[in-house]
Amino acid sequence: MKRLTEAWFEFKGVKSSDMGVLLRQMPTRTLAARNYTRTRVAGRDGSIALGDGCYGDVSVKIECSVPDASKLGAVLAWLSGSGALRFSDEPNLTYDASVEKEYSRASILNRCEGQRFTVTWTCAPIRRLCPSAADITITTSGTGFTALGTYFALPKLAIYGSGAFSVTISGGGHSSSMFFTGVPSEGIVVDSELMDALMMDGAGLLNRCVLSNSDDFFRIWPGANTLTWGLGSGDEEESGSITKIVLTPRWRWL
């Protein structure tokens, strides 16, 4: 069991130990709840839950102290706004967090020059890997890879190809495919978080190259996955080629 004197948290890239802040207790964290409403149906006992498949924000709270009162101003300025948040008991996972609530502080009775207070962050329900996982380069259709995390990832794919083609990621009983046409010789980048297709240098959009009958943007489910592609438009009107795909995975945890 790690002693509190050895525990730390990091917010916006700055560790509590570097700011002279001590944790008085480890964070209180709650599991994200699904978004749903309950509806009564005439002639049916009880109610039914109707959800959108998404999760709500979570609240993360800590109690800490600043023994050196001269550092308090800098600490309060740091513990404001938004940024990445992580803790020493889970150093490889980060929240997207914001300090949105007021908090009060009080003098420490046995060290009156110090201050103690509670900070509450409002956090996105899905945590990210820190540091980010390395890119995965795939040069052959049908290549398999293992996805980390406990929740589906929204990857970025840099597709080095041109013309017409399709790309599919399958795993965990799920499959997501996208279909492309008129891709320039430089290739195309698909960002599933932004829900946009971009030029390789990011200077402009290429959403016009994504066919309207394609599925949702790519998702990668935890466990074993396979990436495949097909070339051409399927009716021989347009050919296509792919030399490699560089996958930025963005693994995620609930």
Side-chain angles (χ1 to χ4, degrees):
M1 184 76 177
K2 184 173 288 188
R3 301 198 310 269
L4 290 178
T5 53
E6 299 172 341
W8 51 263
F9 68 94
E10 181 184 84
F11 184 50
K12 297 189 293 189
V14 178
K15 282 188 177 181
S16 54
S17 53
D18 295 333
M19 297 296 292
V21 175
L22 301 177
L23 276 172
R24 297 178 64 86
Q25 66 177 33
M26 289 305 290
T28 300
R29 285 167 281 193
T30 57
L31 182 65
R34 281 189 177 272
N35 298 330
Y36 69 89
T37 57
R38 287 201 166 271
T39 303
R40 291 188 177 277
V41 178
R44 177 172 176 168
D45 296 327
S47 61
I48 58 174
L50 301 176
D52 59 7
C54 297
Y55 290 85
D57 291 334
V58 296
S59 179
V60 176
K61 181 170 65 176
I62 63 167
E63 184 180 343
C64 54
S65 63
V66 182
D68 185 351
S70 67
K71 297 181 178 180
L72 185 60
V75 169
L76 297 180
W78 164 53
L79 296 177
S80 63
S82 302
L85 172 67
R86 66 188 181 115
F87 295 93
S88 56
D89 60 340
E90 291 182 318
N92 295 323
L93 298 179
T94 64
Y95 291 95
D96 292 331
S98 298
V99 180
E100 299 175 356
K101 296 181 179 180
E102 295 180 352
Y103 51 89
S104 60
R105 61 184 189 270
S107 295
I108 302 173
L109 295 179
N110 61 344
R111 296 189 65 180
C112 293
E113 75 277 9
Q115 299 282 320
R116 70 179 183 186
F117 51 88
T118 299
V119 184
T120 301
W121 285 272
T122 299
C123 301
I126 311 303
R127 294 172 291 170
R128 303 171 183 269
L129 185 65
C130 179
S132 300
D135 290 348
I136 301 170
T137 299
I138 295 175
T139 58
T140 303
S141 177
T143 297
F145 62 92
T146 300
L148 305 180
T150 60
Y151 196 59
F152 66 80
L154 297 174
K156 180 173 72 173
L157 275 68
I159 305 171
Y160 292 81
S162 63
F165 49 78
S166 63
V167 177
T168 300
I169 300 177
S170 302
H174 301 270
S175 180
S176 57
S177 300
M178 295 188 71
F179 303 87
F180 304 87
T181 185
V183 175
S185 59
E186 295 81 7
I188 189 170
V189 173
V190 178
D191 193 318
S192 295
E193 279 191 348
L194 298 178
M195 299 184 70
D196 272 323
L198 309 159
M199 295 179 178
M200 276 293 185
D201 60 4
L205 295 175
L206 288 178
N207 290 325
R208 59 178 172 78
C209 297
V210 180
L211 294 182
S212 59
N213 64 339
S214 65
D215 295 340
D216 292 335
F217 281 76
F218 295 114
R219 294 182 175 187
I220 304 177
W221 295 84
N225 281 262
T226 303
L227 190 151
T228 59
W229 61 73
L231 304 178
S233 60
D235 54 12
E236 299 183 356
E237 291 185 358
E238 184 182 10
S239 61
S241 66
I242 292 179
T243 57
K244 68 177 179 179
I245 295 178
V246 178
L247 172 68
T248 303
R250 297 169 171 163
W251 309 132
R252 306 197 299 172
W253 279 256
L254 268 175

